[in-house]
Amino acid sequence: MLIDLVSMVAIGAATIFFVAGSAGMLRFPDVFMRLHAMTKADNLGLGLLIVGLALQASSFWVIAKLVLIWLLVLVSSTSASHLVARDALARGLRPWRNP
Amino acid sequence: MSEHEGRPVDVWWGSLVRSLPRLMVFALLWMILTGAQASSWRIGVPIVLVATAWSLSLVAPGTRLSPRGIARFVPFFLARSVVGSIDVARRALLPSMPIAPAMVRYRPRLAPSSAPAIFFINAISLLPGTLCASLEAANLHIHVVDDEAGVFEGLAELEEHVAAMFGVEISAREELGGPE
């Protein structure tokens, strides 16, 4: 019962971070800020989602697989954001500054 | 490469022992992917062996991680990424959207393009308010959400954690970098 509750809270919190990541994607002024929103908010969102799902998992191996998925997404999102940012800089895009 | 002396058998045995950690990691990955079903090893054993051989030919064994360094890095990293995510989420959702982005440069102390340096660069993007944009020989160009102080402290601390985890020595904090 308690486990179900913790699980629900974790997954609920996860959706808030996914919503925040998407809000940043739409509201932030340039590509660099949007990358911040995607890499950070979504990583914690996915982490919480995985905590919520792991609590419902039937075996250790399912939990290990969920953690493995989280690690792979961490690695790919940080590499991808680095590549996008590097390319944007190479094309001469200047970061947005506060007016 | 350092074992030109010694009998061929010793050399062979030495490289076998040094490839064991990697073999264990791939075996563990296979168990995770298959849910540790005994019947899966008929395919798993050859695949794990091929993956180990392939991995050894791509990256020679040699990098040793310090268990104590890992034990310190993981909680540090988790705590900092929670802080970073809450910070960015807050800025994205608040109606006033408080951001003051800037580019800064940071002079890393880890040896350029070594495994720890690459790990450090990737970890930067997961930390609060920093995103590694490009790297040159001596400087990292880092985009920050808010150009408040504390960015360099955080980067230096992360770099020290990474160095401890890979068991490499880095110099003391001196001039860490500055605005672009």
Side-chain angles (χ1 to χ4, degrees), chain A residues 17 20-21 23-25 27-29 33 36-37 40-41 98, chain B residues 83-101 128-130 144-149 151:
Chain A
F17 282 100
M25 191 76 183
R27 294 184 72 203
F28 283 158
M33 281 304 301
H36 281 288
K40 300 196 185 64
N98 260 348
Chain B
V83 173
S85 307
I86 292 172
D87 180 63
V88 169
R90 187 181 65 87
R91 292 173 199 272
L93 290 176
L94 277 179
S96 60
M97 203 168 70
I99 55 171
T130 50
V144 297
V145 171
D146 206 322
D147 56 357
E148 284 169 20
V151 171

PDB file of all heavy atoms in Angstrom, chain A residues 17 20-21 23-25 27-29 33 36-37 40-41 98, chain B residues 83-101 128-130 144-149 151:
ATOM      1  N   PHE A  17       8.246  17.234 -14.091  1.00  0.00           N
ATOM      2  CA  PHE A  17       9.524  17.579 -14.715  1.00  0.00           C
ATOM      3  C   PHE A  17       9.464  17.480 -16.231  1.00  0.00           C
ATOM      4  O   PHE A  17      10.080  18.278 -16.937  1.00  0.00           O
ATOM      5  CB  PHE A  17      10.651  16.718 -14.146  1.00  0.00           C
ATOM      6  CG  PHE A  17      11.100  17.193 -12.806  1.00  0.00           C
ATOM      7  CD1 PHE A  17      10.663  16.565 -11.648  1.00  0.00           C
ATOM      8  CD2 PHE A  17      11.915  18.300 -12.699  1.00  0.00           C
ATOM      9  CE1 PHE A  17      11.054  17.035 -10.404  1.00  0.00           C
ATOM     10  CE2 PHE A  17      12.310  18.768 -11.462  1.00  0.00           C
ATOM     11  CZ  PHE A  17      11.871  18.133 -10.318  1.00  0.00           C
ATOM     12  N   ALA A  20       7.782  20.591 -17.276  1.00  0.00           N
ATOM     13  CA  ALA A  20       8.704  21.729 -17.165  1.00  0.00           C
ATOM     14  C   ALA A  20       9.712  21.719 -18.305  1.00  0.00           C
ATOM     15  O   ALA A  20      10.019  22.767 -18.880  1.00  0.00           O
ATOM     16  CB  ALA A  20       9.424  21.691 -15.817  1.00  0.00           C
ATOM     17  N   GLY A  21      10.222  20.524 -18.642  1.00  0.00           N
ATOM     18  CA  GLY A  21      11.167  20.428 -19.752  1.00  0.00           C
ATOM     19  C   GLY A  21      10.528  20.909 -21.047  1.00  0.00           C
ATOM     20  O   GLY A  21      11.140  21.641 -21.826  1.00  0.00           O
ATOM     21  N   ALA A  23       7.943  22.942 -21.275  1.00  0.00           N
ATOM     22  CA  ALA A  23       7.698  24.389 -21.160  1.00  0.00           C
ATOM     23  C   ALA A  23       8.969  25.157 -21.499  1.00  0.00           C
ATOM     24  O   ALA A  23       8.939  26.146 -22.234  1.00  0.00           O
ATOM     25  CB  ALA A  23       7.216  24.737 -19.750  1.00  0.00           C
ATOM     26  N   GLY A  24      10.116  24.681 -20.983  1.00  0.00           N
ATOM     27  CA  GLY A  24      11.382  25.335 -21.293  1.00  0.00           C
ATOM     28  C   GLY A  24      11.688  25.279 -22.773  1.00  0.00           C
ATOM     29  O   GLY A  24      12.151  26.242 -23.368  1.00  0.00           O
ATOM     30  N   MET A  25      11.397  24.133 -23.367  1.00  0.00           N
ATOM     31  CA  MET A  25      11.611  23.951 -24.807  1.00  0.00           C
ATOM     32  C   MET A  25      10.851  25.020 -25.599  1.00  0.00           C
ATOM     33  O   MET A  25      11.347  25.552 -26.585  1.00  0.00           O
ATOM     34  CB  MET A  25      11.089  22.557 -25.168  1.00  0.00           C
ATOM     35  CG  MET A  25      11.445  22.093 -26.531  1.00  0.00           C
ATOM     36  SD  MET A  25      13.165  21.596 -26.566  1.00  0.00           S
ATOM     37  CE  MET A  25      13.290  21.205 -28.296  1.00  0.00           C
ATOM     38  N   ARG A  27       9.494  27.984 -24.211  1.00  0.00           N
ATOM     39  CA  ARG A  27       9.594  29.361 -23.733  1.00  0.00           C
ATOM     40  C   ARG A  27      11.013  29.915 -23.814  1.00  0.00           C
ATOM     41  O   ARG A  27      11.189  31.128 -23.983  1.00  0.00           O
ATOM     42  CB  ARG A  27       9.138  29.432 -22.266  1.00  0.00           C
ATOM     43  CG  ARG A  27       7.673  29.118 -22.063  1.00  0.00           C
ATOM     44  CD  ARG A  27       7.302  29.305 -20.598  1.00  0.00           C
ATOM     45  NE  ARG A  27       7.264  30.714 -20.231  1.00  0.00           N
ATOM     46  CZ  ARG A  27       7.414  31.171 -18.992  1.00  0.00           C
ATOM     47  NH1 ARG A  27       7.634  30.326 -18.011  1.00  0.00           N
ATOM     48  NH2 ARG A  27       7.353  32.449 -18.731  1.00  0.00           N
ATOM     49  N   PHE A  28      12.020  29.074 -23.640  1.00  0.00           N
ATOM     50  CA  PHE A  28      13.388  29.601 -23.566  1.00  0.00           C
ATOM     51  C   PHE A  28      13.799  30.220 -24.894  1.00  0.00           C
ATOM     52  O   PHE A  28      13.380  29.773 -25.964  1.00  0.00           O
ATOM     53  CB  PHE A  28      14.358  28.500 -23.152  1.00  0.00           C
ATOM     54  CG  PHE A  28      14.330  28.177 -21.674  1.00  0.00           C
ATOM     55  CD1 PHE A  28      14.766  26.955 -21.204  1.00  0.00           C
ATOM     56  CD2 PHE A  28      13.857  29.105 -20.751  1.00  0.00           C
ATOM     57  CE1 PHE A  28      14.747  26.651 -19.841  1.00  0.00           C
ATOM     58  CE2 PHE A  28      13.826  28.815 -19.394  1.00  0.00           C
ATOM     59  CZ  PHE A  28      14.277  27.584 -18.939  1.00  0.00           C
ATOM     60  N   PRO A  29      14.660  31.269 -24.828  1.00  0.00           N
ATOM     61  CA  PRO A  29      14.903  32.089 -26.020  1.00  0.00           C
ATOM     62  C   PRO A  29      15.828  31.500 -27.078  1.00  0.00           C
ATOM     63  O   PRO A  29      15.731  31.896 -28.236  1.00  0.00           O
ATOM     64  CB  PRO A  29      15.509  33.372 -25.434  1.00  0.00           C
ATOM     65  CG  PRO A  29      16.117  32.952 -24.151  1.00  0.00           C
ATOM     66  CD  PRO A  29      15.250  31.856 -23.620  1.00  0.00           C
ATOM     67  N   MET A  33      19.645  27.449 -24.217  1.00  0.00           N
ATOM     68  CA  MET A  33      18.737  27.365 -23.070  1.00  0.00           C
ATOM     69  C   MET A  33      17.784  26.171 -23.224  1.00  0.00           C
ATOM     70  O   MET A  33      17.441  25.500 -22.257  1.00  0.00           O
ATOM     71  CB  MET A  33      17.931  28.664 -22.947  1.00  0.00           C
ATOM     72  CG  MET A  33      18.675  29.822 -22.321  1.00  0.00           C
ATOM     73  SD  MET A  33      19.354  29.454 -20.684  1.00  0.00           S
ATOM     74  CE  MET A  33      17.882  29.026 -19.766  1.00  0.00           C
ATOM     75  N   HIS A  36      19.389  23.065 -22.072  1.00  0.00           N
ATOM     76  CA  HIS A  36      19.365  22.944 -20.611  1.00  0.00           C
ATOM     77  C   HIS A  36      18.055  22.299 -20.174  1.00  0.00           C
ATOM     78  O   HIS A  36      18.036  21.393 -19.340  1.00  0.00           O
ATOM     79  CB  HIS A  36      19.464  24.328 -19.952  1.00  0.00           C
ATOM     80  CG  HIS A  36      20.840  24.890 -19.903  1.00  0.00           C
ATOM     81  ND1 HIS A  36      21.791  24.408 -19.065  1.00  0.00           N
ATOM     82  CD2 HIS A  36      21.403  25.907 -20.582  1.00  0.00           C
ATOM     83  CE1 HIS A  36      22.903  25.116 -19.231  1.00  0.00           C
ATOM     84  NE2 HIS A  36      22.703  26.025 -20.157  1.00  0.00           N
ATOM     85  N   ALA A  37      16.967  22.817 -20.729  1.00  0.00           N
ATOM     86  CA  ALA A  37      15.645  22.309 -20.331  1.00  0.00           C
ATOM     87  C   ALA A  37      15.531  20.820 -20.644  1.00  0.00           C
ATOM     88  O   ALA A  37      15.071  20.031 -19.810  1.00  0.00           O
ATOM     89  CB  ALA A  37      14.544  23.096 -21.045  1.00  0.00           C
ATOM     90  N   LYS A  40      18.306  18.497 -18.440  1.00  0.00           N
ATOM     91  CA  LYS A  40      18.206  18.398 -16.986  1.00  0.00           C
ATOM     92  C   LYS A  40      16.831  17.995 -16.523  1.00  0.00           C
ATOM     93  O   LYS A  40      16.678  17.012 -15.788  1.00  0.00           O
ATOM     94  CB  LYS A  40      18.631  19.699 -16.354  1.00  0.00           C
ATOM     95  CG  LYS A  40      20.056  19.942 -16.755  1.00  0.00           C
ATOM     96  CD  LYS A  40      20.757  20.940 -15.986  1.00  0.00           C
ATOM     97  CE  LYS A  40      22.106  21.133 -16.612  1.00  0.00           C
ATOM     98  NZ  LYS A  40      22.006  21.664 -17.976  1.00  0.00           N
ATOM     99  N   ALA A  41      15.806  18.732 -16.963  1.00  0.00           N
ATOM    100  CA  ALA A  41      14.464  18.430 -16.466  1.00  0.00           C
ATOM    101  C   ALA A  41      14.057  17.012 -16.856  1.00  0.00           C
ATOM    102  O   ALA A  41      13.504  16.266 -16.045  1.00  0.00           O
ATOM    103  CB  ALA A  41      13.472  19.456 -16.999  1.00  0.00           C
ATOM    104  N   ASN A  98      20.471  38.602 -21.687  1.00  0.00           N
ATOM    105  CA  ASN A  98      19.430  39.454 -21.121  1.00  0.00           C
ATOM    106  C   ASN A  98      19.536  40.853 -21.719  1.00  0.00           C
ATOM    107  O   ASN A  98      20.618  41.431 -21.725  1.00  0.00           O
ATOM    108  CB  ASN A  98      19.619  39.566 -19.601  1.00  0.00           C
ATOM    109  CG  ASN A  98      18.685  38.654 -18.855  1.00  0.00           C
ATOM    110  OD1 ASN A  98      17.754  38.095 -19.436  1.00  0.00           O
ATOM    111  ND2 ASN A  98      18.937  38.488 -17.582  1.00  0.00           N
TER     112      ASN A  98
ATOM    113  N   VAL B  83      19.267  18.902  -7.891  1.00  0.00           N
ATOM    114  CA  VAL B  83      19.266  20.361  -7.732  1.00  0.00           C
ATOM    115  C   VAL B  83      19.184  21.042  -9.095  1.00  0.00           C
ATOM    116  O   VAL B  83      18.402  21.966  -9.308  1.00  0.00           O
ATOM    117  CB  VAL B  83      20.528  20.818  -6.967  1.00  0.00           C
ATOM    118  CG1 VAL B  83      20.632  22.329  -6.946  1.00  0.00           C
ATOM    119  CG2 VAL B  83      20.515  20.271  -5.550  1.00  0.00           C
ATOM    120  N   GLY B  84      19.999  20.561 -10.048  1.00  0.00           N
ATOM    121  CA  GLY B  84      20.031  21.160 -11.379  1.00  0.00           C
ATOM    122  C   GLY B  84      18.692  21.077 -12.088  1.00  0.00           C
ATOM    123  O   GLY B  84      18.256  22.035 -12.732  1.00  0.00           O
ATOM    124  N   SER B  85      18.034  19.931 -11.960  1.00  0.00           N
ATOM    125  CA  SER B  85      16.757  19.754 -12.643  1.00  0.00           C
ATOM    126  C   SER B  85      15.676  20.625 -12.034  1.00  0.00           C
ATOM    127  O   SER B  85      14.876  21.235 -12.750  1.00  0.00           O
ATOM    128  CB  SER B  85      16.337  18.294 -12.582  1.00  0.00           C
ATOM    129  OG  SER B  85      17.372  17.485 -13.066  1.00  0.00           O
ATOM    130  N   ILE B  86      15.646  20.688 -10.692  1.00  0.00           N
ATOM    131  CA  ILE B  86      14.632  21.526 -10.043  1.00  0.00           C
ATOM    132  C   ILE B  86      14.851  22.978 -10.432  1.00  0.00           C
ATOM    133  O   ILE B  86      13.906  23.709 -10.729  1.00  0.00           O
ATOM    134  CB  ILE B  86      14.678  21.330  -8.513  1.00  0.00           C
ATOM    135  CG1 ILE B  86      14.204  19.916  -8.161  1.00  0.00           C
ATOM    136  CG2 ILE B  86      13.821  22.370  -7.804  1.00  0.00           C
ATOM    137  CD1 ILE B  86      14.378  19.545  -6.714  1.00  0.00           C
ATOM    138  N   ASP B  87      16.123  23.388 -10.487  1.00  0.00           N
ATOM    139  CA  ASP B  87      16.456  24.765 -10.838  1.00  0.00           C
ATOM    140  C   ASP B  87      15.963  25.115 -12.244  1.00  0.00           C
ATOM    141  O   ASP B  87      15.291  26.129 -12.442  1.00  0.00           O
ATOM    142  CB  ASP B  87      17.974  24.947 -10.742  1.00  0.00           C
ATOM    143  CG  ASP B  87      18.403  26.356 -11.095  1.00  0.00           C
ATOM    144  OD1 ASP B  87      17.995  27.268 -10.370  1.00  0.00           O
ATOM    145  OD2 ASP B  87      19.120  26.525 -12.091  1.00  0.00           O
ATOM    146  N   VAL B  88      16.264  24.248 -13.210  1.00  0.00           N
ATOM    147  CA  VAL B  88      15.846  24.539 -14.587  1.00  0.00           C
ATOM    148  C   VAL B  88      14.321  24.475 -14.710  1.00  0.00           C
ATOM    149  O   VAL B  88      13.708  25.317 -15.370  1.00  0.00           O
ATOM    150  CB  VAL B  88      16.525  23.566 -15.574  1.00  0.00           C
ATOM    151  CG1 VAL B  88      15.892  23.677 -16.950  1.00  0.00           C
ATOM    152  CG2 VAL B  88      17.998  23.860 -15.682  1.00  0.00           C
ATOM    153  N   ALA B  89      13.712  23.495 -14.034  1.00  0.00           N
ATOM    154  CA  ALA B  89      12.250  23.378 -14.097  1.00  0.00           C
ATOM    155  C   ALA B  89      11.588  24.627 -13.530  1.00  0.00           C
ATOM    156  O   ALA B  89      10.618  25.145 -14.095  1.00  0.00           O
ATOM    157  CB  ALA B  89      11.797  22.133 -13.327  1.00  0.00           C
ATOM    158  N   ARG B  90      12.135  25.137 -12.432  1.00  0.00           N
ATOM    159  CA  ARG B  90      11.578  26.341 -11.807  1.00  0.00           C
ATOM    160  C   ARG B  90      11.667  27.532 -12.777  1.00  0.00           C
ATOM    161  O   ARG B  90      10.692  28.261 -12.980  1.00  0.00           O
ATOM    162  CB  ARG B  90      12.370  26.643 -10.530  1.00  0.00           C
ATOM    163  CG  ARG B  90      11.833  27.768  -9.672  1.00  0.00           C
ATOM    164  CD  ARG B  90      12.735  27.969  -8.463  1.00  0.00           C
ATOM    165  NE  ARG B  90      14.076  28.415  -8.845  1.00  0.00           N
ATOM    166  CZ  ARG B  90      14.411  29.700  -9.030  1.00  0.00           C
ATOM    167  NH1 ARG B  90      13.498  30.639  -8.868  1.00  0.00           N
ATOM    168  NH2 ARG B  90      15.637  30.035  -9.384  1.00  0.00           N
ATOM    169  N   ARG B  91      12.826  27.693 -13.393  1.00  0.00           N
ATOM    170  CA  ARG B  91      13.001  28.814 -14.317  1.00  0.00           C
ATOM    171  C   ARG B  91      12.080  28.690 -15.529  1.00  0.00           C
ATOM    172  O   ARG B  91      11.600  29.683 -16.065  1.00  0.00           O
ATOM    173  CB  ARG B  91      14.450  28.898 -14.786  1.00  0.00           C
ATOM    174  CG  ARG B  91      15.426  29.284 -13.700  1.00  0.00           C
ATOM    175  CD  ARG B  91      16.858  29.183 -14.195  1.00  0.00           C
ATOM    176  NE  ARG B  91      17.815  29.108 -13.103  1.00  0.00           N
ATOM    177  CZ  ARG B  91      18.344  30.167 -12.511  1.00  0.00           C
ATOM    178  NH1 ARG B  91      18.029  31.375 -12.916  1.00  0.00           N
ATOM    179  NH2 ARG B  91      19.204  30.025 -11.523  1.00  0.00           N
ATOM    180  N   ALA B  92      11.844  27.453 -15.968  1.00  0.00           N
ATOM    181  CA  ALA B  92      11.000  27.257 -17.155  1.00  0.00           C
ATOM    182  C   ALA B  92       9.538  27.524 -16.849  1.00  0.00           C
ATOM    183  O   ALA B  92       8.795  27.978 -17.713  1.00  0.00           O
ATOM    184  CB  ALA B  92      11.179  25.834 -17.686  1.00  0.00           C
ATOM    185  N   LEU B  93       9.115  27.237 -15.601  1.00  0.00           N
ATOM    186  CA  LEU B  93       7.688  27.309 -15.287  1.00  0.00           C
ATOM    187  C   LEU B  93       7.271  28.656 -14.711  1.00  0.00           C
ATOM    188  O   LEU B  93       6.112  29.053 -14.852  1.00  0.00           O
ATOM    189  CB  LEU B  93       7.302  26.194 -14.306  1.00  0.00           C
ATOM    190  CG  LEU B  93       7.326  24.774 -14.897  1.00  0.00           C
ATOM    191  CD1 LEU B  93       7.020  23.747 -13.825  1.00  0.00           C
ATOM    192  CD2 LEU B  93       6.326  24.638 -16.041  1.00  0.00           C
ATOM    193  N   LEU B  94       8.180  29.387 -14.038  1.00  0.00           N
ATOM    194  CA  LEU B  94       7.794  30.669 -13.441  1.00  0.00           C
ATOM    195  C   LEU B  94       7.389  31.647 -14.545  1.00  0.00           C
ATOM    196  O   LEU B  94       8.050  31.734 -15.571  1.00  0.00           O
ATOM    197  CB  LEU B  94       8.973  31.263 -12.654  1.00  0.00           C
ATOM    198  CG  LEU B  94       9.188  30.762 -11.227  1.00  0.00           C
ATOM    199  CD1 LEU B  94      10.408  31.453 -10.618  1.00  0.00           C
ATOM    200  CD2 LEU B  94       7.953  31.010 -10.372  1.00  0.00           C
ATOM    201  N   PRO B  95       6.301  32.386 -14.304  1.00  0.00           N
ATOM    202  CA  PRO B  95       5.871  33.350 -15.325  1.00  0.00           C
ATOM    203  C   PRO B  95       6.962  34.359 -15.674  1.00  0.00           C
ATOM    204  O   PRO B  95       7.108  34.746 -16.835  1.00  0.00           O
ATOM    205  CB  PRO B  95       4.676  34.044 -14.665  1.00  0.00           C
ATOM    206  CG  PRO B  95       4.183  33.081 -13.641  1.00  0.00           C
ATOM    207  CD  PRO B  95       5.383  32.317 -13.167  1.00  0.00           C
ATOM    208  N   SER B  96       7.774  34.762 -14.683  1.00  0.00           N
ATOM    209  CA  SER B  96       8.801  35.774 -14.959  1.00  0.00           C
ATOM    210  C   SER B  96      10.018  35.186 -15.670  1.00  0.00           C
ATOM    211  O   SER B  96      10.852  35.926 -16.164  1.00  0.00           O
ATOM    212  CB  SER B  96       9.248  36.419 -13.642  1.00  0.00           C
ATOM    213  OG  SER B  96       9.787  35.429 -12.785  1.00  0.00           O
ATOM    214  N   MET B  97      10.129  33.861 -15.714  1.00  0.00           N
ATOM    215  CA  MET B  97      11.222  33.147 -16.380  1.00  0.00           C
ATOM    216  C   MET B  97      12.597  33.765 -16.086  1.00  0.00           C
ATOM    217  O   MET B  97      13.234  34.363 -16.958  1.00  0.00           O
ATOM    218  CB  MET B  97      10.991  33.099 -17.893  1.00  0.00           C
ATOM    219  CG  MET B  97      11.730  31.956 -18.560  1.00  0.00           C
ATOM    220  SD  MET B  97      11.215  31.681 -20.251  1.00  0.00           S
ATOM    221  CE  MET B  97      11.856  33.122 -21.082  1.00  0.00           C
ATOM    222  N   PRO B  98      13.066  33.632 -14.824  1.00  0.00           N
ATOM    223  CA  PRO B  98      14.328  34.285 -14.453  1.00  0.00           C
ATOM    224  C   PRO B  98      15.551  33.575 -15.024  1.00  0.00           C
ATOM    225  O   PRO B  98      16.021  32.584 -14.478  1.00  0.00           O
ATOM    226  CB  PRO B  98      14.328  34.200 -12.920  1.00  0.00           C
ATOM    227  CG  PRO B  98      13.508  32.999 -12.614  1.00  0.00           C
ATOM    228  CD  PRO B  98      12.529  32.807 -13.745  1.00  0.00           C
ATOM    229  N   ILE B  99      16.080  34.052 -16.119  1.00  0.00           N
ATOM    230  CA  ILE B  99      17.312  33.486 -16.668  1.00  0.00           C
ATOM    231  C   ILE B  99      18.276  34.616 -17.019  1.00  0.00           C
ATOM    232  O   ILE B  99      17.854  35.717 -17.342  1.00  0.00           O
ATOM    233  CB  ILE B  99      17.079  32.617 -17.920  1.00  0.00           C
ATOM    234  CG1 ILE B  99      16.326  33.377 -18.996  1.00  0.00           C
ATOM    235  CG2 ILE B  99      16.362  31.333 -17.562  1.00  0.00           C
ATOM    236  CD1 ILE B  99      16.256  32.654 -20.317  1.00  0.00           C
ATOM    237  N   ALA B 100      19.559  34.333 -16.900  1.00  0.00           N
ATOM    238  CA  ALA B 100      20.594  35.294 -17.285  1.00  0.00           C
ATOM    239  C   ALA B 100      21.735  34.516 -17.915  1.00  0.00           C
ATOM    240  O   ALA B 100      22.820  34.411 -17.343  1.00  0.00           O
ATOM    241  CB  ALA B 100      21.066  36.090 -16.072  1.00  0.00           C
ATOM    242  N   PRO B 101      21.505  33.932 -19.089  1.00  0.00           N
ATOM    243  CA  PRO B 101      22.522  33.042 -19.651  1.00  0.00           C
ATOM    244  C   PRO B 101      23.793  33.765 -20.074  1.00  0.00           C
ATOM    245  O   PRO B 101      23.773  34.947 -20.380  1.00  0.00           O
ATOM    246  CB  PRO B 101      21.820  32.423 -20.869  1.00  0.00           C
ATOM    247  CG  PRO B 101      20.707  33.326 -21.197  1.00  0.00           C
ATOM    248  CD  PRO B 101      20.329  34.046 -19.956  1.00  0.00           C
ATOM    249  N   PRO B 128      23.919  21.412 -12.364  1.00  0.00           N
ATOM    250  CA  PRO B 128      23.050  22.582 -12.335  1.00  0.00           C
ATOM    251  C   PRO B 128      23.530  23.688 -13.254  1.00  0.00           C
ATOM    252  O   PRO B 128      24.653  24.161 -13.101  1.00  0.00           O
ATOM    253  CB  PRO B 128      23.102  23.048 -10.873  1.00  0.00           C
ATOM    254  CG  PRO B 128      23.667  21.952 -10.109  1.00  0.00           C
ATOM    255  CD  PRO B 128      24.370  21.025 -11.035  1.00  0.00           C
ATOM    256  N   GLY B 129      22.710  24.060 -14.213  1.00  0.00           N
ATOM    257  CA  GLY B 129      22.924  25.279 -14.973  1.00  0.00           C
ATOM    258  C   GLY B 129      24.138  25.346 -15.861  1.00  0.00           C
ATOM    259  O   GLY B 129      24.518  26.420 -16.302  1.00  0.00           O
ATOM    260  N   THR B 130      24.792  24.218 -16.140  1.00  0.00           N
ATOM    261  CA  THR B 130      25.940  24.278 -17.040  1.00  0.00           C
ATOM    262  C   THR B 130      25.752  23.315 -18.206  1.00  0.00           C
ATOM    263  O   THR B 130      25.167  22.250 -18.059  1.00  0.00           O
ATOM    264  CB  THR B 130      27.256  23.925 -16.322  1.00  0.00           C
ATOM    265  OG1 THR B 130      27.070  22.704 -15.614  1.00  0.00           O
ATOM    266  CG2 THR B 130      27.678  25.007 -15.377  1.00  0.00           C
ATOM    267  N   VAL B 144      26.080  28.826 -19.354  1.00  0.00           N
ATOM    268  CA  VAL B 144      25.463  28.758 -18.030  1.00  0.00           C
ATOM    269  C   VAL B 144      24.114  29.459 -18.042  1.00  0.00           C
ATOM    270  O   VAL B 144      23.910  30.443 -18.751  1.00  0.00           O
ATOM    271  CB  VAL B 144      26.374  29.370 -16.932  1.00  0.00           C
ATOM    272  CG1 VAL B 144      27.664  28.572 -16.818  1.00  0.00           C
ATOM    273  CG2 VAL B 144      26.670  30.821 -17.197  1.00  0.00           C
ATOM    274  N   VAL B 145      23.180  28.903 -17.262  1.00  0.00           N
ATOM    275  CA  VAL B 145      21.820  29.448 -17.207  1.00  0.00           C
ATOM    276  C   VAL B 145      21.824  30.794 -16.497  1.00  0.00           C
ATOM    277  O   VAL B 145      21.072  31.695 -16.832  1.00  0.00           O
ATOM    278  CB  VAL B 145      20.896  28.459 -16.470  1.00  0.00           C
ATOM    279  CG1 VAL B 145      19.546  29.085 -16.199  1.00  0.00           C
ATOM    280  CG2 VAL B 145      20.718  27.211 -17.300  1.00  0.00           C
ATOM    281  N   ASP B 146      22.663  30.914 -15.503  1.00  0.00           N
ATOM    282  CA  ASP B 146      22.652  32.107 -14.677  1.00  0.00           C
ATOM    283  C   ASP B 146      24.097  32.418 -14.326  1.00  0.00           C
ATOM    284  O   ASP B 146      24.771  31.580 -13.740  1.00  0.00           O
ATOM    285  CB  ASP B 146      21.836  31.846 -13.407  1.00  0.00           C
ATOM    286  CG  ASP B 146      21.277  33.133 -12.859  1.00  0.00           C
ATOM    287  OD1 ASP B 146      21.994  34.148 -12.913  1.00  0.00           O
ATOM    288  OD2 ASP B 146      20.132  33.123 -12.379  1.00  0.00           O
ATOM    289  N   ASP B 147      24.570  33.590 -14.712  1.00  0.00           N
ATOM    290  CA  ASP B 147      25.998  33.864 -14.544  1.00  0.00           C
ATOM    291  C   ASP B 147      26.329  34.319 -13.124  1.00  0.00           C
ATOM    292  O   ASP B 147      27.169  35.188 -12.911  1.00  0.00           O
ATOM    293  CB  ASP B 147      26.490  34.879 -15.575  1.00  0.00           C
ATOM    294  CG  ASP B 147      25.704  36.177 -15.529  1.00  0.00           C
ATOM    295  OD1 ASP B 147      24.754  36.251 -14.739  1.00  0.00           O
ATOM    296  OD2 ASP B 147      26.035  37.097 -16.292  1.00  0.00           O
ATOM    297  N   GLU B 148      25.653  33.713 -12.156  1.00  0.00           N
ATOM    298  CA  GLU B 148      26.000  34.002 -10.772  1.00  0.00           C
ATOM    299  C   GLU B 148      27.291  33.280 -10.410  1.00  0.00           C
ATOM    300  O   GLU B 148      27.690  32.326 -11.069  1.00  0.00           O
ATOM    301  CB  GLU B 148      24.888  33.512  -9.840  1.00  0.00           C
ATOM    302  CG  GLU B 148      23.669  34.408  -9.827  1.00  0.00           C
ATOM    303  CD  GLU B 148      22.517  33.728  -9.102  1.00  0.00           C
ATOM    304  OE1 GLU B 148      22.782  32.802  -8.324  1.00  0.00           O
ATOM    305  OE2 GLU B 148      21.374  34.123  -9.355  1.00  0.00           O
ATOM    306  N   ALA B 149      27.908  33.743  -9.334  1.00  0.00           N
ATOM    307  CA  ALA B 149      29.096  33.049  -8.837  1.00  0.00           C
ATOM    308  C   ALA B 149      28.695  31.641  -8.414  1.00  0.00           C
ATOM    309  O   ALA B 149      27.519  31.333  -8.248  1.00  0.00           O
ATOM    310  CB  ALA B 149      29.682  33.814  -7.661  1.00  0.00           C
ATOM    311  N   VAL B 151      29.476  28.930 -10.205  1.00  0.00           N
ATOM    312  CA  VAL B 151      29.631  28.032 -11.338  1.00  0.00           C
ATOM    313  C   VAL B 151      31.006  27.377 -11.321  1.00  0.00           C
ATOM    314  O   VAL B 151      31.138  26.157 -11.463  1.00  0.00           O
ATOM    315  CB  VAL B 151      29.419  28.796 -12.661  1.00  0.00           C
ATOM    316  CG1 VAL B 151      29.788  27.926 -13.848  1.00  0.00           C
ATOM    317  CG2 VAL B 151      27.981  29.262 -12.778  1.00  0.00           C
TER     318      VAL B 151
END
